[in-house]
Amino acid sequence: MLSRDQALARDAQDPLAHCRDEFVITDQELIYLDGNSLGRLTKRGADAVERATQREWGDHLVRSWHDWIGLPEQIGDDLAPLLGAGPGEVLVCDQTSVNLFKLASAVLTERGRKVVVADDSNFPSDRYVLAAVAKAAGGTMREMAVDPLAGPTVADLAKVLDASVGLVSLSLVSFKSGAIADLAAITALAHRHGALVLWDLSHAAGAIEFDLRGAGADLAIGCTYKYLNGGPGAPAFLFVRRELQNQLLSPIPGWFGHEDMFAFAGEYRPAAGIRRFSVGTPPILSLRAAQAGIAVTARVGMAPIRRKSVALTELLIARADAVLQPLGFTVATPRDAERRGSHVSLAHPEAYAITQAMIARKVVPDFRAPNLIRLGVAPLYTRFSEIWDAVEVIAEIARTRAHEPWLRAARTRVT
Ligand SMILES: *Cc1c(COP(=O)(O)O)cnc(C)c1O
């Protein structure tokens, strides 16, 4: 079994070690394993927000709109290669939940088929939105039962598809188990049954390699504030395959999606291309931070990031098996690296209290009810030695029952 010295040696040989310098890290002792929820602040992002505030807004005022107006599409083009999308296929705008609403509505209102398939392990917000969209279109949401550890599979989907299904919407990486779904095979199966697929890439973008165009994907949405380090509440993104763009209409026909917005025409005419999915004035300060976060990942590229992510999660699982399993923890993430995203979930009946004790010891994970401790690895800044040390801290808490005080405490509002 690897020793702590060997973990340190792997840090010393890590080809991505220098990427940590791109980030503002004020406390070198803090082991941050929640980049899957809120990525760290990039130095470029901090500078970009400062510049956007002082110079672009403060000095140039409304004249800055000449540069700002195209940002949602420009940043979409910066992001596209990380998703396997082409230029003009990605727009950075609104929130993930809002983009899900827009794209799901666009599909359902255009088509005779009114059933949406969602899976019962998906992020609840996605299911709330999909159920509401289906209802408004006069249809229903059909819930597909999936194994929570394995996530949605082709076999699960085959059981629920029929000629009434217009849209299937799934997460590429499960927010709980971290399982990766088969993008190409699920898309192909849905297509054979005449349905489109809308992928939620929130835990996939910046975390794993995938190829939307290669898989024939139709539609996707996702966050920029997780592995893409775009900042708290940073605008989300949406992808619409080029061939579909002009067949779909946004249910929110705002002026930013108009063919000629400054004509202030009496009636709405959708812009050609991806811009028709814009709604209103974009949040420029947040966009500047997101642009910087995406640029850091784009400069490195997904292949080395994924390689290090797999090595980090392999180490984490090996240490969890050796040290934590005897203490009552179970790895609740696929063991096959090909099927695993960039976080590892540990199941334990006292998971909430343990996460609080970890945070008190400067190891930051998150908790997902009812019993999961999620440990996210972000290869741009997570070190091998941090994984080693985090497992030791968790083991020490469990052995000494240091989490006892939180077993009786009320839960915090954010977990
Ligand atoms: C994080 C996440 C979201 C977040 O949606 P917001 O609208 O940005 O709050 C949505 N879906 C999934 C699968 C997520 O993991």
Side-chain angles (χ1 to χ4, degrees):
M1 182 51 59
L2 194 79
S3 66
R4 186 171 193 276
D5 281 345
Q6 284 168 303
L8 285 169
R10 290 176 78 168
D11 287 334
Q13 293 153 11
D14 172 15
L16 297 188
H18 67 280
C19 297
R20 206 172 145 93
D21 297 336
E22 291 278 353
F23 294 87
V24 175
I25 299 180
T26 52
D27 180 353
Q28 292 292 340
E29 281 168 22
L30 183 81
I31 299 180
Y32 190 64
L33 298 176
D34 210 9
N36 52 311
S37 186
L38 176 65
R40 279 188 178 275
L41 169 63
T42 60
K43 290 177 182 167
R44 290 159 197 262
D47 291 346
V49 170
E50 174 69 14
R51 198 166 50 244
T53 307
Q54 299 298 336
R55 208 171 318 149
E56 297 175 12
W57 175 16
D59 295 341
H60 292 281
L61 287 162
V62 77
R63 293 168 290 181
S64 286
W65 272 110
H66 295 294
D67 297 325
W68 290 338
I69 193 98
L71 279 181
E73 290 147 279
Q74 271 169 40
I75 304 172
D77 284 346
D78 295 342
L79 177 56
L82 300 174
L83 314 177
E89 290 190 314
V90 179
L91 189 69
V92 176
C93 61
D94 303 315
Q95 290 158 312
T96 306
S97 306
V98 174
N99 287 334
L100 178 67
F101 174 84
K102 287 171 2 191
L103 296 189
S105 299
V107 170
L108 280 211
T109 51
E110 285 301 298
R111 315 190 74 208
R113 296 166 167 227
K114 301 294 182 197
V115 173
V116 179
V117 168
D119 82 86
D120 61 4
S121 74
N122 202 352
F123 197 67
S125 180
D126 289 32
R127 294 189 354 244
Y128 310 150
V129 169
L130 292 167
V133 167
K135 189 169 174 216
T140 52
M141 183 177 83
R142 184 175 295 168
E143 232 168 24
M144 166 170 103
V146 309
D147 176 328
L149 176 60
T153 64
V154 169
D156 298 328
L157 184 61
K159 289 188 200 132
V160 295
L161 284 176
D162 60 30
S164 65
V165 177
L167 183 68
V168 175
S169 185
L170 307 171
S171 283
L172 183 56
V173 175
S174 159
F175 84 107
K176 279 194 174 169
S177 75
I180 301 177
D182 191 333
L183 175 67
I186 287 177
T187 300
L189 177 66
H191 286 176
R192 281 201 296 282
H193 286 79
L196 297 181
V197 186
L198 198 176
W199 289 97
D200 189 324
L201 306 176
S202 293
H203 285 273
I208 66 168
E209 287 185 277
F210 54 94
D211 182 1
L212 289 175
R213 278 209 74 84
D218 306 303
L219 306 151
I221 51 154
C223 303
T224 66
Y225 53 76
K226 294 175 177 167
Y227 293 97
L228 293 168
N229 307 302
F237 62 86
L238 61 82
F239 159 87
V240 181
R241 171 156 58 88
R242 184 171 303 108
E243 299 80 358
L244 278 177
Q245 289 173 0
N246 294 341
Q247 297 168 31
L248 297 174
L249 280 175
S250 172
I252 315 175
W255 70 313
F256 269 69
H258 195 280
E259 176 185 78
D260 184 6
M261 60 185 285
F262 284 100
F264 295 106
E267 77 189 45
Y268 180 76
R269 286 192 314 276
I274 196 76
R275 194 166 65 75
R276 67 172 53 198
F277 302 101
S278 294
V279 179
T281 308
I284 297 300
L285 302 183
S286 298
L287 273 175
R288 286 296 193 202
Q291 182 177 32
I294 290 165
V296 169
T297 300
R299 284 205 331 168
V300 177
M302 283 315 301
I305 292 176
R306 173 64 175 162
R307 222 174 292 127
K308 182 175 170 190
S309 164
V310 168
L312 287 164
T313 55
E314 290 280 356
L315 173 63
L316 179 41
I317 290 175
R319 293 302 298 157
D321 284 343
V323 179
L324 299 178
Q325 193 261 333
L327 294 167
F329 295 85
T330 323
V331 172
T333 292
R335 286 171 178 278
D336 174 3
E338 297 261 295
R339 301 245 21 245
R340 182 170 73 234
S342 205
H343 73 262
V344 172
S345 294
L346 299 175
H348 189 285
E350 294 167 346
Y352 174 75
I354 293 168
T355 59
Q356 299 309 300
M358 288 169 69
I359 294 165
R361 283 163 179 70
K362 291 211 200 184
V363 178
V364 179
D366 61 21
F367 164 74
R368 286 296 173 262
N371 66 341
L372 295 181
I373 302 169
R374 269 195 326 188
L375 305 169
V377 307
L380 295 175
Y381 51 81
T382 304
R383 295 168 160 162
F384 291 92
S385 53
E386 290 182 309
I387 298 296
W388 182 279
D389 293 343
V391 171
E392 293 300 307
V393 167
I394 299 169
E396 195 257 342
I397 290 167
R399 268 190 221 112
T400 61
R401 298 206 50 83
H403 58 290
E404 292 267 357
W406 287 279
L407 286 173
R408 292 172 304 277
R411 282 192 186 166
T412 52
R413 185 164 170 199
V414 178
T415 65

